[in-house]
PDB file of all heavy atoms in Angstrom:
ATOM      1  N   LEU A  23     121.347 100.726  73.823  1.00  0.00           N
ATOM      2  CA  LEU A  23     122.274 101.837  73.633  1.00  0.00           C
ATOM      3  C   LEU A  23     122.096 102.502  72.268  1.00  0.00           C
ATOM      4  O   LEU A  23     122.264 101.865  71.233  1.00  0.00           O
ATOM      5  CB  LEU A  23     123.719 101.368  73.773  1.00  0.00           C
ATOM      6  CG  LEU A  23     124.209 101.063  75.188  1.00  0.00           C
ATOM      7  CD1 LEU A  23     125.703 100.758  75.181  1.00  0.00           C
ATOM      8  CD2 LEU A  23     123.950 102.226  76.125  1.00  0.00           C
ATOM      9  N   THR A  24     121.711 103.776  72.296  1.00  0.00           N
ATOM     10  CA  THR A  24     121.662 104.579  71.076  1.00  0.00           C
ATOM     11  C   THR A  24     122.661 105.727  71.137  1.00  0.00           C
ATOM     12  O   THR A  24     122.907 106.380  70.129  1.00  0.00           O
ATOM     13  CB  THR A  24     120.251 105.166  70.874  1.00  0.00           C
ATOM     14  OG1 THR A  24     119.908 105.962  72.009  1.00  0.00           O
ATOM     15  CG2 THR A  24     119.230 104.053  70.693  1.00  0.00           C
ATOM     16  N   GLU A  25     123.222 105.955  72.318  1.00  0.00           N
ATOM     17  CA  GLU A  25     124.200 107.025  72.486  1.00  0.00           C
ATOM     18  C   GLU A  25     125.070 106.740  73.700  1.00  0.00           C
ATOM     19  O   GLU A  25     124.748 105.897  74.542  1.00  0.00           O
ATOM     20  CB  GLU A  25     123.498 108.381  72.644  1.00  0.00           C
ATOM     21  CG  GLU A  25     122.636 108.474  73.885  1.00  0.00           C
ATOM     22  CD  GLU A  25     121.924 109.817  74.016  1.00  0.00           C
ATOM     23  OE1 GLU A  25     121.850 110.550  73.007  1.00  0.00           O
ATOM     24  OE2 GLU A  25     121.443 110.118  75.121  1.00  0.00           O
ATOM     25  N   PHE A  26     126.191 107.456  73.772  1.00  0.00           N
ATOM     26  CA  PHE A  26     127.090 107.371  74.918  1.00  0.00           C
ATOM     27  C   PHE A  26     127.203 108.750  75.553  1.00  0.00           C
ATOM     28  O   PHE A  26     126.984 109.777  74.901  1.00  0.00           O
ATOM     29  CB  PHE A  26     128.477 106.893  74.496  1.00  0.00           C
ATOM     30  CG  PHE A  26     128.520 105.481  73.988  1.00  0.00           C
ATOM     31  CD1 PHE A  26     128.451 105.211  72.630  1.00  0.00           C
ATOM     32  CD2 PHE A  26     128.631 104.416  74.871  1.00  0.00           C
ATOM     33  CE1 PHE A  26     128.489 103.918  72.161  1.00  0.00           C
ATOM     34  CE2 PHE A  26     128.667 103.114  74.414  1.00  0.00           C
ATOM     35  CZ  PHE A  26     128.594 102.858  73.054  1.00  0.00           C
ATOM     36  N   ILE A  27     127.554 108.753  76.832  1.00  0.00           N
ATOM     37  CA  ILE A  27     127.828 110.002  77.539  1.00  0.00           C
ATOM     38  C   ILE A  27     129.333 110.086  77.785  1.00  0.00           C
ATOM     39  O   ILE A  27     129.922 109.187  78.381  1.00  0.00           O
ATOM     40  CB  ILE A  27     127.077 110.064  78.883  1.00  0.00           C
ATOM     41  CG1 ILE A  27     125.572 110.031  78.643  1.00  0.00           C
ATOM     42  CG2 ILE A  27     127.458 111.322  79.658  1.00  0.00           C
ATOM     43  CD1 ILE A  27     124.749 109.907  79.928  1.00  0.00           C
ATOM     44  N   LEU A  28     129.936 111.161  77.293  1.00  0.00           N
ATOM     45  CA  LEU A  28     131.367 111.373  77.490  1.00  0.00           C
ATOM     46  C   LEU A  28     131.581 112.192  78.757  1.00  0.00           C
ATOM     47  O   LEU A  28     131.014 113.272  78.904  1.00  0.00           O
ATOM     48  CB  LEU A  28     131.960 112.114  76.283  1.00  0.00           C
ATOM     49  CG  LEU A  28     131.915 111.362  74.942  1.00  0.00           C
ATOM     50  CD1 LEU A  28     132.230 112.310  73.794  1.00  0.00           C
ATOM     51  CD2 LEU A  28     132.886 110.194  74.941  1.00  0.00           C
ATOM     52  N   MET A  29     132.386 111.673  79.684  1.00  0.00           N
ATOM     53  CA  MET A  29     132.635 112.395  80.930  1.00  0.00           C
ATOM     54  C   MET A  29     133.434 113.671  80.711  1.00  0.00           C
ATOM     55  O   MET A  29     133.362 114.600  81.508  1.00  0.00           O
ATOM     56  CB  MET A  29     133.362 111.486  81.930  1.00  0.00           C
ATOM     57  CG  MET A  29     132.477 110.422  82.541  1.00  0.00           C
ATOM     58  SD  MET A  29     133.310 109.489  83.851  1.00  0.00           S
ATOM     59  CE  MET A  29     133.520 110.758  85.095  1.00  0.00           C
ATOM     60  N   GLY A  30     134.192 113.712  79.620  1.00  0.00           N
ATOM     61  CA  GLY A  30     134.957 114.915  79.314  1.00  0.00           C
ATOM     62  C   GLY A  30     136.254 115.002  80.103  1.00  0.00           C
ATOM     63  O   GLY A  30     136.640 114.090  80.832  1.00  0.00           O
ATOM     64  N   ILE A  31     136.921 116.140  79.965  1.00  0.00           N
ATOM     65  CA  ILE A  31     138.207 116.349  80.628  1.00  0.00           C
ATOM     66  C   ILE A  31     138.023 116.632  82.106  1.00  0.00           C
ATOM     67  O   ILE A  31     138.792 116.176  82.949  1.00  0.00           O
ATOM     68  CB  ILE A  31     138.969 117.495  79.941  1.00  0.00           C
ATOM     69  CG1 ILE A  31     139.348 117.063  78.518  1.00  0.00           C
ATOM     70  CG2 ILE A  31     140.223 117.883  80.720  1.00  0.00           C
ATOM     71  CD1 ILE A  31     139.968 118.153  77.685  1.00  0.00           C
ATOM     72  N   THR A  32     137.002 117.394  82.443  1.00  0.00           N
ATOM     73  CA  THR A  32     136.737 117.733  83.846  1.00  0.00           C
ATOM     74  C   THR A  32     135.241 117.866  84.074  1.00  0.00           C
ATOM     75  O   THR A  32     134.493 118.201  83.149  1.00  0.00           O
ATOM     76  CB  THR A  32     137.441 119.050  84.241  1.00  0.00           C
ATOM     77  OG1 THR A  32     137.163 119.347  85.610  1.00  0.00           O
ATOM     78  CG2 THR A  32     136.974 120.208  83.379  1.00  0.00           C
ATOM     79  N   ASP A  33     134.801 117.587  85.303  1.00  0.00           N
ATOM     80  CA  ASP A  33     133.386 117.776  85.654  1.00  0.00           C
ATOM     81  C   ASP A  33     133.183 119.041  86.494  1.00  0.00           C
ATOM     82  O   ASP A  33     132.095 119.261  87.029  1.00  0.00           O
ATOM     83  CB  ASP A  33     132.847 116.549  86.400  1.00  0.00           C
ATOM     84  CG  ASP A  33     133.669 116.230  87.647  1.00  0.00           C
ATOM     85  OD1 ASP A  33     134.667 116.938  87.907  1.00  0.00           O
ATOM     86  OD2 ASP A  33     133.320 115.257  88.342  1.00  0.00           O
ATOM     87  N   ARG A  34     134.211 119.880  86.605  1.00  0.00           N
ATOM     88  CA  ARG A  34     134.114 121.116  87.391  1.00  0.00           C
ATOM     89  C   ARG A  34     133.568 122.235  86.509  1.00  0.00           C
ATOM     90  O   ARG A  34     134.211 122.639  85.525  1.00  0.00           O
ATOM     91  CB  ARG A  34     135.478 121.488  87.953  1.00  0.00           C
ATOM     92  CG  ARG A  34     136.015 120.461  88.948  1.00  0.00           C
ATOM     93  CD  ARG A  34     137.429 120.786  89.390  1.00  0.00           C
ATOM     94  NE  ARG A  34     137.513 122.080  90.064  1.00  0.00           N
ATOM     95  CZ  ARG A  34     138.664 122.583  90.531  1.00  0.00           C
ATOM     96  NH1 ARG A  34     139.792 121.886  90.417  1.00  0.00           N
ATOM     97  NH2 ARG A  34     138.665 123.764  91.111  1.00  0.00           N
ATOM     98  N   PRO A  35     132.384 122.777  86.809  1.00  0.00           N
ATOM     99  CA  PRO A  35     131.741 123.782  85.946  1.00  0.00           C
ATOM    100  C   PRO A  35     132.590 125.030  85.733  1.00  0.00           C
ATOM    101  O   PRO A  35     132.582 125.612  84.644  1.00  0.00           O
ATOM    102  CB  PRO A  35     130.445 124.119  86.705  1.00  0.00           C
ATOM    103  CG  PRO A  35     130.201 122.943  87.596  1.00  0.00           C
ATOM    104  CD  PRO A  35     131.548 122.420  87.960  1.00  0.00           C
ATOM    105  N   GLU A  36     133.330 125.451  86.767  1.00  0.00           N
ATOM    106  CA  GLU A  36     134.099 126.688  86.649  1.00  0.00           C
ATOM    107  C   GLU A  36     135.273 126.570  85.674  1.00  0.00           C
ATOM    108  O   GLU A  36     135.847 127.591  85.246  1.00  0.00           O
ATOM    109  CB  GLU A  36     134.613 127.128  88.027  1.00  0.00           C
ATOM    110  CG  GLU A  36     135.697 126.257  88.638  1.00  0.00           C
ATOM    111  CD  GLU A  36     135.139 125.073  89.440  1.00  0.00           C
ATOM    112  OE1 GLU A  36     133.937 124.774  89.284  1.00  0.00           O
ATOM    113  OE2 GLU A  36     135.914 124.468  90.204  1.00  0.00           O
ATOM    114  N   LEU A  37     135.642 125.332  85.298  1.00  0.00           N
ATOM    115  CA  LEU A  37     136.757 125.136  84.370  1.00  0.00           C
ATOM    116  C   LEU A  37     136.311 124.946  82.922  1.00  0.00           C
ATOM    117  O   LEU A  37     137.150 124.921  82.023  1.00  0.00           O
ATOM    118  CB  LEU A  37     137.583 123.920  84.804  1.00  0.00           C
ATOM    119  CG  LEU A  37     138.332 124.033  86.137  1.00  0.00           C
ATOM    120  CD1 LEU A  37     139.071 122.737  86.440  1.00  0.00           C
ATOM    121  CD2 LEU A  37     139.317 125.211  86.115  1.00  0.00           C
ATOM    122  N   GLN A  38     135.006 124.802  82.698  1.00  0.00           N
ATOM    123  CA  GLN A  38     134.512 124.530  81.348  1.00  0.00           C
ATOM    124  C   GLN A  38     134.849 125.659  80.382  1.00  0.00           C
ATOM    125  O   GLN A  38     135.369 125.428  79.289  1.00  0.00           O
ATOM    126  CB  GLN A  38     132.987 124.298  81.378  1.00  0.00           C
ATOM    127  CG  GLN A  38     132.525 123.146  82.253  1.00  0.00           C
ATOM    128  CD  GLN A  38     133.032 121.796  81.776  1.00  0.00           C
ATOM    129  OE1 GLN A  38     133.106 121.542  80.580  1.00  0.00           O
ATOM    130  NE2 GLN A  38     133.379 120.916  82.707  1.00  0.00           N
ATOM    131  N   ALA A  39     134.555 126.905  80.765  1.00  0.00           N
ATOM    132  CA  ALA A  39     134.799 128.054  79.873  1.00  0.00           C
ATOM    133  C   ALA A  39     136.297 128.276  79.623  1.00  0.00           C
ATOM    134  O   ALA A  39     136.705 128.451  78.460  1.00  0.00           O
ATOM    135  CB  ALA A  39     134.151 129.315  80.451  1.00  0.00           C
ATOM    136  N   PRO A  40     137.147 128.283  80.668  1.00  0.00           N
ATOM    137  CA  PRO A  40     138.597 128.439  80.393  1.00  0.00           C
ATOM    138  C   PRO A  40     139.163 127.326  79.507  1.00  0.00           C
ATOM    139  O   PRO A  40     139.963 127.606  78.606  1.00  0.00           O
ATOM    140  CB  PRO A  40     139.222 128.390  81.794  1.00  0.00           C
ATOM    141  CG  PRO A  40     138.137 128.793  82.718  1.00  0.00           C
ATOM    142  CD  PRO A  40     136.877 128.279  82.118  1.00  0.00           C
ATOM    143  N   PHE A  41     138.741 126.082  79.753  1.00  0.00           N
ATOM    144  CA  PHE A  41     139.220 124.977  78.928  1.00  0.00           C
ATOM    145  C   PHE A  41     138.726 125.108  77.486  1.00  0.00           C
ATOM    146  O   PHE A  41     139.451 124.801  76.538  1.00  0.00           O
ATOM    147  CB  PHE A  41     138.787 123.631  79.520  1.00  0.00           C
ATOM    148  CG  PHE A  41     139.699 123.124  80.611  1.00  0.00           C
ATOM    149  CD1 PHE A  41     139.300 122.067  81.423  1.00  0.00           C
ATOM    150  CD2 PHE A  41     140.943 123.678  80.818  1.00  0.00           C
ATOM    151  CE1 PHE A  41     140.130 121.597  82.430  1.00  0.00           C
ATOM    152  CE2 PHE A  41     141.790 123.217  81.817  1.00  0.00           C
ATOM    153  CZ  PHE A  41     141.375 122.165  82.623  1.00  0.00           C
ATOM    154  N   PHE A  42     137.480 125.549  77.327  1.00  0.00           N
ATOM    155  CA  PHE A  42     136.942 125.743  75.976  1.00  0.00           C
ATOM    156  C   PHE A  42     137.805 126.745  75.219  1.00  0.00           C
ATOM    157  O   PHE A  42     138.186 126.514  74.066  1.00  0.00           O
ATOM    158  CB  PHE A  42     135.495 126.231  76.044  1.00  0.00           C
ATOM    159  CG  PHE A  42     134.929 126.609  74.699  1.00  0.00           C
ATOM    160  CD1 PHE A  42     134.477 125.633  73.834  1.00  0.00           C
ATOM    161  CD2 PHE A  42     134.880 127.940  74.304  1.00  0.00           C
ATOM    162  CE1 PHE A  42     133.969 125.975  72.574  1.00  0.00           C
ATOM    163  CE2 PHE A  42     134.385 128.289  73.054  1.00  0.00           C
ATOM    164  CZ  PHE A  42     133.923 127.307  72.195  1.00  0.00           C
ATOM    165  N   GLY A  43     138.109 127.883  75.854  1.00  0.00           N
ATOM    166  CA  GLY A  43     138.934 128.902  75.210  1.00  0.00           C
ATOM    167  C   GLY A  43     140.328 128.400  74.888  1.00  0.00           C
ATOM    168  O   GLY A  43     140.845 128.622  73.782  1.00  0.00           O
ATOM    169  N   LEU A  44     140.935 127.697  75.851  1.00  0.00           N
ATOM    170  CA  LEU A  44     142.296 127.181  75.667  1.00  0.00           C
ATOM    171  C   LEU A  44     142.365 126.193  74.506  1.00  0.00           C
ATOM    172  O   LEU A  44     143.208 126.319  73.605  1.00  0.00           O
ATOM    173  CB  LEU A  44     142.775 126.522  76.958  1.00  0.00           C
ATOM    174  CG  LEU A  44     144.120 125.792  76.892  1.00  0.00           C
ATOM    175  CD1 LEU A  44     145.255 126.763  76.587  1.00  0.00           C
ATOM    176  CD2 LEU A  44     144.386 125.037  78.201  1.00  0.00           C
ATOM    177  N   PHE A  45     141.465 125.198  74.524  1.00  0.00           N
ATOM    178  CA  PHE A  45     141.525 124.158  73.502  1.00  0.00           C
ATOM    179  C   PHE A  45     141.033 124.646  72.143  1.00  0.00           C
ATOM    180  O   PHE A  45     141.437 124.111  71.102  1.00  0.00           O
ATOM    181  CB  PHE A  45     140.760 122.923  73.955  1.00  0.00           C
ATOM    182  CG  PHE A  45     141.424 122.201  75.098  1.00  0.00           C
ATOM    183  CD1 PHE A  45     140.775 122.027  76.317  1.00  0.00           C
ATOM    184  CD2 PHE A  45     142.721 121.722  74.979  1.00  0.00           C
ATOM    185  CE1 PHE A  45     141.398 121.387  77.369  1.00  0.00           C
ATOM    186  CE2 PHE A  45     143.352 121.070  76.027  1.00  0.00           C
ATOM    187  CZ  PHE A  45     142.694 120.904  77.231  1.00  0.00           C
ATOM    188  N   LEU A  46     140.175 125.666  72.134  1.00  0.00           N
ATOM    189  CA  LEU A  46     139.777 126.271  70.856  1.00  0.00           C
ATOM    190  C   LEU A  46     140.976 126.940  70.199  1.00  0.00           C
ATOM    191  O   LEU A  46     141.190 126.804  68.985  1.00  0.00           O
ATOM    192  CB  LEU A  46     138.652 127.288  71.081  1.00  0.00           C
ATOM    193  CG  LEU A  46     138.181 128.035  69.822  1.00  0.00           C
ATOM    194  CD1 LEU A  46     137.606 127.056  68.799  1.00  0.00           C
ATOM    195  CD2 LEU A  46     137.152 129.109  70.194  1.00  0.00           C
ATOM    196  N   ILE A  47     141.777 127.641  70.993  1.00  0.00           N
ATOM    197  CA  ILE A  47     142.993 128.281  70.464  1.00  0.00           C
ATOM    198  C   ILE A  47     143.968 127.224  69.952  1.00  0.00           C
ATOM    199  O   ILE A  47     144.519 127.344  68.852  1.00  0.00           O
ATOM    200  CB  ILE A  47     143.656 129.149  71.550  1.00  0.00           C
ATOM    201  CG1 ILE A  47     142.775 130.354  71.886  1.00  0.00           C
ATOM    202  CG2 ILE A  47     145.041 129.617  71.098  1.00  0.00           C
ATOM    203  CD1 ILE A  47     143.234 131.139  73.100  1.00  0.00           C
ATOM    204  N   ILE A  48     144.178 126.162  70.761  1.00  0.00           N
ATOM    205  CA  ILE A  48     145.108 125.094  70.366  1.00  0.00           C
ATOM    206  C   ILE A  48     144.660 124.439  69.067  1.00  0.00           C
ATOM    207  O   ILE A  48     145.454 124.236  68.140  1.00  0.00           O
ATOM    208  CB  ILE A  48     145.224 124.043  71.489  1.00  0.00           C
ATOM    209  CG1 ILE A  48     145.963 124.629  72.695  1.00  0.00           C
ATOM    210  CG2 ILE A  48     145.944 122.786  70.982  1.00  0.00           C
ATOM    211  CD1 ILE A  48     145.963 123.723  73.913  1.00  0.00           C
ATOM    212  N   TYR A  49     143.361 124.125  68.964  1.00  0.00           N
ATOM    213  CA  TYR A  49     142.849 123.452  67.766  1.00  0.00           C
ATOM    214  C   TYR A  49     142.919 124.377  66.546  1.00  0.00           C
ATOM    215  O   TYR A  49     143.271 123.943  65.446  1.00  0.00           O
ATOM    216  CB  TYR A  49     141.421 122.983  67.992  1.00  0.00           C
ATOM    217  CG  TYR A  49     140.810 122.296  66.781  1.00  0.00           C
ATOM    218  CD1 TYR A  49     141.398 121.149  66.247  1.00  0.00           C
ATOM    219  CD2 TYR A  49     139.660 122.802  66.179  1.00  0.00           C
ATOM    220  CE1 TYR A  49     140.853 120.528  65.130  1.00  0.00           C
ATOM    221  CE2 TYR A  49     139.109 122.178  65.070  1.00  0.00           C
ATOM    222  CZ  TYR A  49     139.712 121.044  64.549  1.00  0.00           C
ATOM    223  OH  TYR A  49     139.179 120.424  63.449  1.00  0.00           O
ATOM    224  N   THR A  50     142.616 125.659  66.741  1.00  0.00           N
ATOM    225  CA  THR A  50     142.682 126.620  65.640  1.00  0.00           C
ATOM    226  C   THR A  50     144.105 126.746  65.112  1.00  0.00           C
ATOM    227  O   THR A  50     144.339 126.734  63.891  1.00  0.00           O
ATOM    228  CB  THR A  50     142.173 128.002  66.093  1.00  0.00           C
ATOM    229  OG1 THR A  50     140.828 127.878  66.579  1.00  0.00           O
ATOM    230  CG2 THR A  50     142.202 129.003  64.949  1.00  0.00           C
ATOM    231  N   VAL A  51     145.073 126.856  66.035  1.00  0.00           N
ATOM    232  CA  VAL A  51     146.483 126.930  65.625  1.00  0.00           C
ATOM    233  C   VAL A  51     146.892 125.657  64.890  1.00  0.00           C
ATOM    234  O   VAL A  51     147.614 125.707  63.882  1.00  0.00           O
ATOM    235  CB  VAL A  51     147.386 127.151  66.861  1.00  0.00           C
ATOM    236  CG1 VAL A  51     148.865 127.034  66.492  1.00  0.00           C
ATOM    237  CG2 VAL A  51     147.105 128.520  67.487  1.00  0.00           C
ATOM    238  N   SER A  52     146.405 124.513  65.373  1.00  0.00           N
ATOM    239  CA  SER A  52     146.713 123.227  64.741  1.00  0.00           C
ATOM    240  C   SER A  52     146.165 123.165  63.315  1.00  0.00           C
ATOM    241  O   SER A  52     146.871 122.757  62.386  1.00  0.00           O
ATOM    242  CB  SER A  52     146.142 122.075  65.576  1.00  0.00           C
ATOM    243  OG  SER A  52     146.347 120.839  64.934  1.00  0.00           O
ATOM    244  N   VAL A  53     144.913 123.575  63.138  1.00  0.00           N
ATOM    245  CA  VAL A  53     144.286 123.546  61.810  1.00  0.00           C
ATOM    246  C   VAL A  53     145.017 124.489  60.851  1.00  0.00           C
ATOM    247  O   VAL A  53     145.358 124.113  59.722  1.00  0.00           O
ATOM    248  CB  VAL A  53     142.789 123.924  61.902  1.00  0.00           C
ATOM    249  CG1 VAL A  53     142.199 124.135  60.506  1.00  0.00           C
ATOM    250  CG2 VAL A  53     142.012 122.839  62.633  1.00  0.00           C
ATOM    251  N   VAL A  54     145.263 125.718  61.304  1.00  0.00           N
ATOM    252  CA  VAL A  54     145.948 126.701  60.453  1.00  0.00           C
ATOM    253  C   VAL A  54     147.359 126.218  60.106  1.00  0.00           C
ATOM    254  O   VAL A  54     147.789 126.290  58.938  1.00  0.00           O
ATOM    255  CB  VAL A  54     146.006 128.075  61.154  1.00  0.00           C
ATOM    256  CG1 VAL A  54     146.895 129.042  60.373  1.00  0.00           C
ATOM    257  CG2 VAL A  54     144.603 128.660  61.314  1.00  0.00           C
ATOM    258  N   GLY A  55     148.088 125.700  61.106  1.00  0.00           N
ATOM    259  CA  GLY A  55     149.457 125.244  60.882  1.00  0.00           C
ATOM    260  C   GLY A  55     149.535 124.077  59.920  1.00  0.00           C
ATOM    261  O   GLY A  55     150.349 124.075  58.989  1.00  0.00           O
ATOM    262  N   ASN A  56     148.684 123.081  60.123  1.00  0.00           N
ATOM    263  CA  ASN A  56     148.741 121.891  59.267  1.00  0.00           C
ATOM    264  C   ASN A  56     148.185 122.153  57.875  1.00  0.00           C
ATOM    265  O   ASN A  56     148.740 121.650  56.881  1.00  0.00           O
ATOM    266  CB  ASN A  56     147.998 120.733  59.943  1.00  0.00           C
ATOM    267  CG  ASN A  56     148.783 120.122  61.093  1.00  0.00           C
ATOM    268  OD1 ASN A  56     149.848 119.564  60.898  1.00  0.00           O
ATOM    269  ND2 ASN A  56     148.262 120.254  62.296  1.00  0.00           N
ATOM    270  N   LEU A  57     147.114 122.942  57.773  1.00  0.00           N
ATOM    271  CA  LEU A  57     146.615 123.317  56.450  1.00  0.00           C
ATOM    272  C   LEU A  57     147.652 124.143  55.702  1.00  0.00           C
ATOM    273  O   LEU A  57     147.858 123.967  54.496  1.00  0.00           O
ATOM    274  CB  LEU A  57     145.313 124.109  56.571  1.00  0.00           C
ATOM    275  CG  LEU A  57     144.018 123.313  56.696  1.00  0.00           C
ATOM    276  CD1 LEU A  57     142.830 124.251  56.837  1.00  0.00           C
ATOM    277  CD2 LEU A  57     143.813 122.391  55.491  1.00  0.00           C
ATOM    278  N   GLY A  58     148.299 125.042  56.450  1.00  0.00           N
ATOM    279  CA  GLY A  58     149.354 125.848  55.834  1.00  0.00           C
ATOM    280  C   GLY A  58     150.498 124.990  55.325  1.00  0.00           C
ATOM    281  O   GLY A  58     151.018 125.223  54.221  1.00  0.00           O
ATOM    282  N   MET A  59     150.884 123.968  56.111  1.00  0.00           N
ATOM    283  CA  MET A  59     151.957 123.068  55.695  1.00  0.00           C
ATOM    284  C   MET A  59     151.551 122.282  54.447  1.00  0.00           C
ATOM    285  O   MET A  59     152.361 122.097  53.524  1.00  0.00           O
ATOM    286  CB  MET A  59     152.304 122.108  56.834  1.00  0.00           C
ATOM    287  CG  MET A  59     153.531 121.251  56.589  1.00  0.00           C
ATOM    288  SD  MET A  59     155.057 122.219  56.509  1.00  0.00           S
ATOM    289  CE  MET A  59     155.227 122.702  58.231  1.00  0.00           C
ATOM    290  N   ILE A  60     150.307 121.823  54.404  1.00  0.00           N
ATOM    291  CA  ILE A  60     149.818 121.077  53.240  1.00  0.00           C
ATOM    292  C   ILE A  60     149.845 121.961  51.992  1.00  0.00           C
ATOM    293  O   ILE A  60     150.309 121.547  50.915  1.00  0.00           O
ATOM    294  CB  ILE A  60     148.382 120.558  53.493  1.00  0.00           C
ATOM    295  CG1 ILE A  60     148.398 119.473  54.578  1.00  0.00           C
ATOM    296  CG2 ILE A  60     147.772 119.999  52.204  1.00  0.00           C
ATOM    297  CD1 ILE A  60     147.029 119.094  55.090  1.00  0.00           C
ATOM    298  N   ILE A  61     149.359 123.194  52.129  1.00  0.00           N
ATOM    299  CA  ILE A  61     149.312 124.116  50.980  1.00  0.00           C
ATOM    300  C   ILE A  61     150.718 124.493  50.517  1.00  0.00           C
ATOM    301  O   ILE A  61     151.018 124.468  49.320  1.00  0.00           O
ATOM    302  CB  ILE A  61     148.503 125.381  51.344  1.00  0.00           C
ATOM    303  CG1 ILE A  61     147.040 125.006  51.578  1.00  0.00           C
ATOM    304  CG2 ILE A  61     148.612 126.432  50.250  1.00  0.00           C
ATOM    305  CD1 ILE A  61     146.203 126.110  52.200  1.00  0.00           C
ATOM    306  N   LEU A  62     151.602 124.833  51.475  1.00  0.00           N
ATOM    307  CA  LEU A  62     152.977 125.227  51.129  1.00  0.00           C
ATOM    308  C   LEU A  62     153.699 124.128  50.362  1.00  0.00           C
ATOM    309  O   LEU A  62     154.341 124.374  49.335  1.00  0.00           O
ATOM    310  CB  LEU A  62     153.760 125.578  52.385  1.00  0.00           C
ATOM    311  CG  LEU A  62     153.558 126.947  53.019  1.00  0.00           C
ATOM    312  CD1 LEU A  62     154.414 127.086  54.263  1.00  0.00           C
ATOM    313  CD2 LEU A  62     153.879 128.060  52.034  1.00  0.00           C
ATOM    314  N   THR A  63     153.635 122.912  50.877  1.00  0.00           N
ATOM    315  CA  THR A  63     154.367 121.807  50.257  1.00  0.00           C
ATOM    316  C   THR A  63     153.724 121.343  48.955  1.00  0.00           C
ATOM    317  O   THR A  63     154.329 120.573  48.205  1.00  0.00           O
ATOM    318  CB  THR A  63     154.481 120.609  51.227  1.00  0.00           C
ATOM    319  OG1 THR A  63     153.172 120.220  51.665  1.00  0.00           O
ATOM    320  CG2 THR A  63     155.325 120.972  52.438  1.00  0.00           C
TER     321      THR A  63
END
């Protein structure tokens, strides 16, 4: 073993792009919100 394969959230190809967009937005909001909280405090 030199690597692992992650099955991911779904194996349905048609959902990959929508999920990418959704979770990119969620992660971006999370980063901005938490960095903002760190800076403010």
Side-chain angles (χ1 to χ4, degrees):
L23 286 186
T24 59
E25 64 181 16
F26 294 95
I27 298 173
L28 296 167
M29 286 186 67
I31 293 174
T32 180
D33 56 358
R34 296 174 61 180
E36 70 273 15
L37 294 178
Q38 301 296 322
F41 277 167
F42 173 80
L44 173 64
F45 291 120
L46 178 62
I47 293 170
I48 290 172
Y49 179 59
T50 302
V51 172
S52 176
V53 170
V54 171
N56 285 296
L57 275 179
M59 188 66 71
I60 292 169
I61 294 169
L62 280 179
T63 55

